[in-house]
Amino acid sequence: EAQVTQNPRYLITVTGKKLTVTCSQNMNHEYMSWYRQDPGLGLRQIYYSMNVEVTDKGDVPEGYKVSRKEKRNFPLILESPSPNQTSLYFCASSFSTGSQPQHFGDGTRLSIL
Amino acid sequence: EDKVVQSPLSLVVHEGDTVTLNCSYEVTNFRSLLWYKQEKKAPTFLFMLTSSGIEKKSGRLSSILDKKEPFSILNITATQTGDSAIYLCAVATQGGSEKLVFGKGTKLTVNP
């Protein structure tokens, strides 16, 4: 079954404790992206990747890092999380660019205390 | 700065009504416009529009793009309670930046 898998689905942690949210897709997609969704602000793109070793900033990249060492994986790293990064995070992938329909993961709800 | 504006932000209708959701945008290098439906969890794809004036249709849902204005509308006829969701409009850019910019969404509630 074609899917985008995020882990963990829920996480409560404390300020400053490094965390990684993993994202994996099994569709051989080239384009992968991370979004955060906040009430009243909608979905905002954090980072995207056009292919292995190619990443670029979205609209809200501050405080986040990503890497794309393999085509299927695109982890999101919060080196020093802060409370303003409390949000619902989605990973998504599409065949070649963001202009094509994206398959979304089920989301990761992060709470930073 | 690229932006996508959806209206209304919230809409409550009765089953059987027809609704029109609006999406206008300002982006530097337009590539395509996409509509997604978000119920409890992840957004799911509805339509992708790249050319003006060509209607895309799927059952009771249809959408059209006007690149001159520029805006898009999503129509839902004979609404059902299962249409209750947040509808998201996104615009994809090109030319050195392959970003996807989302609007804030329209929350549609269909009452029986």
Side-chain angles (χ1 to χ4, degrees), chain B residues 39-80:
Chain B
E39 296 175 89
K40 296 260 188 275
K41 294 196 291 190
T44 53
F45 170 73
L46 293 174
F47 297 112
M48 181 174 80
L49 303 153
T50 56
S51 301
S52 286
I54 299 173
E55 186 182 48
K56 294 282 183 92
K57 202 167 167 60
S58 176
R60 296 176 293 103
L61 278 67
S62 63
S63 183
I64 197 161
L65 173 68
D66 181 337
K67 289 166 79 172
K68 195 173 175 184
E69 282 298 314
F71 75 94
S72 174
I73 60 172
L74 175 68
N75 278 322
I76 309 174
T77 58
T79 51
Q80 302 170 357

Side-chain angles (χ1 to χ4, degrees), chain B residues 8-71:
Chain B
L9 292 180
S10 181
L11 189 55
V12 180
V13 301
H14 291 290
E15 260 189 325
D17 288 350
T18 292
V19 299
T20 298
L21 310 183
N22 303 293
C23 176
S24 64
Y25 61 91
E26 285 180 38
V27 299
T28 46
N29 286 301
F30 174 88
R31 188 196 279 262
S32 66
L33 185 145
L34 303 102
W35 285 97
Y36 290 88
K37 178 182 181 182
Q38 185 177 23
E39 296 175 89
K40 296 260 188 275
K41 294 196 291 190
T44 53
F45 170 73
L46 293 174
F47 297 112
M48 181 174 80
L49 303 153
T50 56
S51 301
S52 286
I54 299 173
E55 186 182 48
K56 294 282 183 92
K57 202 167 167 60
S58 176
R60 296 176 293 103
L61 278 67
S62 63
S63 183
I64 197 161
L65 173 68
D66 181 337
K67 289 166 79 172
K68 195 173 175 184
E69 282 298 314
F71 75 94

Side-chain angles (χ1 to χ4, degrees), chain A residues 35-37 41-45 90 104, chain B residues 38 43 88 102-103:
Chain A
Y35 303 89
R36 60 179 289 174
Q37 187 172 35
L41 296 177
L43 271 167
R44 293 179 293 167
Q45 192 172 41
F90 287 102
F104 283 81
Chain B
Q38 185 177 23
L88 299 165
F102 280 83

Side-chain angles (χ1 to χ4, degrees), chain A residues 38-42, chain B residues 104:
Chain A
D38 302 289
L41 296 177
Chain B
K104 293 180 181 179

